[in-house]
Amino acid sequence: MVKKFAEALAKLKKPALISHIGPDGDAIGSQLALYFWFQDRGIEPMMFNDDPVPDNLTWLAGQEKIREPEKELLDQCDAILFVDGNDPSRFGKMAEYFSNTNKPLYLIDHHLDPPEGIFSEMLWDSSASSTAYLVYTLFAETGPESISREIGEALYAGIVTDTGSFRFDTVTDDTHFAVGNIIRYGGIKPSEIYSRIYDDRTLSEYHLLGTVLKGIRLFCDEKVAVMEVTEKMMSENGCSKDDLEGFVNYPLSIRGVAVSVLLYEREDRVKISLRGKSLVDLNQVARKFNGGGHFNASGAWHPGPVEKAVKELVAEISELLS
Ligand code: 5GP
Ligand code: MN
């Protein structure tokens, strides 16, 4: 699968690399590592994302080349490579362009249920810890010695963030073997990268976190933790959406908790984040609420109000638990 994928990519002249709305470490890290993979082959891709690179990742080399997608720029590309997501609607305002274009579409991703018949070639494995791991396999196939420091940092950032710092169920010997090679070939320092990504929080964020954690409620025999963030909490602490990164993982450290739910009250709807410990298929839960993702990590939306969302989500999860 990797060899065929690599051969197909190497034939492209001007690929567009695009990742999902609200890009995370895996999205950006994978995109940048791919960018350098193409560059090594004399191909200059264009990188697009609807939303900006999160503040704690702006040190990654090449990130300044990522721009907002525009029809005129996409028209110049000979193919579109979707990174870390498989549903065109996850790719923002150009979703319709992607659905209607005649350009070949490629996919590199680890999310469940990729649509059938739309990709010319894909490097897809829903058991992979991250898309960055799949990008690593591309390098492993075509020569891991080309993993430079900037590539190693991008790959490491993608893997460390999407595995919750190597603690999720998706982490295997393959993950650690890959990371070993990324560190060795890239000559990178994990503690430095970890610190740049995670030790970048503000006191306001911690105050917000305190408020949010204080509001945790447990349901279903204390197996399901629910917490909420309101616009009021955000403004009182002077925080924005990006500051919520990682909050949803905290309740999973409570003894007995198997599912964590974070509800973020937006102007017109409620954003739902779900994280789990392999007891409930959270992709299935998210799909009931216009979302999706993975077995243990997914996202969705509810029209609100928050209490209604809590009730419906708990009912859904409770059914799957029993
Ligand atoms: P998060 O809770 O961080 O927003 O998302 C967790 C996971 O669910 C990510 O892998 C993300 O790609 C996926 N996800 C989040 N929101 C949506 C959504 O609205 N639709 C789909 N299909 N997946 C989502
Ligand atoms: Mn990912």
Side-chain angles (χ1 to χ4, degrees), residues 2 23 37 53 219 248 257 279 302:
V2 191
W37 184 87
V53 174
F219 297 89
V248 66
V257 166
L279 211 60
H302 190 281

Side-chain angles (χ1 to χ4, degrees), residues 110-130:
H110 66 138
H111 289 81
L112 293 163
D113 311 326
E116 275 174 36
I118 75 165
F119 298 108
S120 311
E121 221 41 85
M122 49 186 198
L123 181 54
W124 174 80
D125 180 357
S126 65
S127 73
S129 65
S130 51

